[in-house]
Amino acid sequence: MPRIIDEVLIPPKDGRTIEVKKGQILRVTDVEGEQVGDMVVLNLHDLRERYCAWLSAQLLGNLVKVPILYSNPPYIRPLLTIDEDRVGVHWPGGSRCNRAYYEKLGKQGIIGCQEILERTLYPYGIEPHSVPDVYNVFMRVNVYEDGRRVIGFPAGKKGDYTDFKAHLDCLVAISACPDDVGQTNNFKCKSLLMQVLEK
């Protein structure tokens, strides 16, 4: 049975951070099911090093299945790797909802994961323009031959989780995605749980 070192509950439409030391496991749990988390990962001791979506996809040769989260150039090394996955569906592409996205849908004054992550990371000295790429935990995206991406219903069920093993000391921030008004992603926003484990 893994030992819990730390845990943080992320309320719906909000964000939280947690520190994960090298060799520890970050478990992200879909508490109630059918929720998406936008996760950013940074080197705890050098915040210039962070998850890079395009490089991870390039090195692994796959736009959808990215079990190793590589850091940006010039570092280019694993930050986290998937250790155990009860869901198996994530979107590693780096995108996140934001104020402009909602305005395009005709919804004014709604904040997205970008703004939530800005607020969550600001105490660590990360400015809004420096919020890293995100790894969308439990997000289902269908990619078609004509290049279209269509967001599907979240893949996680109640209690499902994904474990990520840390290769460096990492700072992880997750937004419990607030997108309950999107055209293809209508769901009731719920909580996510982050736990740091030693197995």
Side-chain angles (χ1 to χ4, degrees), residues 114-184:
Q114 171 66 30
E115 291 78 24
I116 291 170
L117 290 168
E118 287 175 10
R119 184 179 66 228
T120 303
L121 291 168
Y122 188 77
Y124 295 88
I126 298 171
E127 298 290 334
H129 63 273
S130 295
V131 174
D133 290 348
V134 300
Y135 186 97
N136 303 108
V137 183
F138 313 136
M139 184 172 178
R140 186 192 312 275
V141 177
N142 301 306
V143 181
Y144 296 97
E145 288 185 9
D146 63 4
R148 287 179 301 123
R149 294 182 317 172
V150 178
I151 298 172
F153 211 70
K157 305 302 180 194
K158 182 176 181 178
D160 280 348
Y161 63 84
T162 301
D163 286 352
F164 299 88
K165 184 174 182 179
H167 292 266
L168 304 172
D169 294 349
C170 293
L171 175 68
V172 178
I174 297 182
S175 166
C177 184
D179 187 6
D180 58 359
V181 298
Q183 295 171 320
T184 57

Side-chain angles (χ1 to χ4, degrees), residues 3-52:
R3 183 166 69 98
I4 298 174
I5 305 298
D6 193 9
E7 66 178 24
V8 177
L9 184 67
I10 309 166
K13 301 185 179 187
D14 208 344
R16 295 289 187 271
T17 59
I18 201 165
E19 295 182 8
V20 189
K21 299 299 177 65
K22 180 179 179 179
Q24 292 179 334
I25 299 293
L26 169 69
R27 174 169 292 176
V28 182
T29 301
D30 195 346
V31 178
E32 300 171 74
E34 301 174 346
Q35 177 61 36
V36 169
D38 285 28
M39 178 173 77
V40 299
V41 185
L42 305 98
N43 179 338
L44 181 62
H45 307 295
D46 183 355
L47 298 177
R48 296 172 300 176
E49 182 176 11
R50 66 268 306 275
Y51 168 63
C52 183

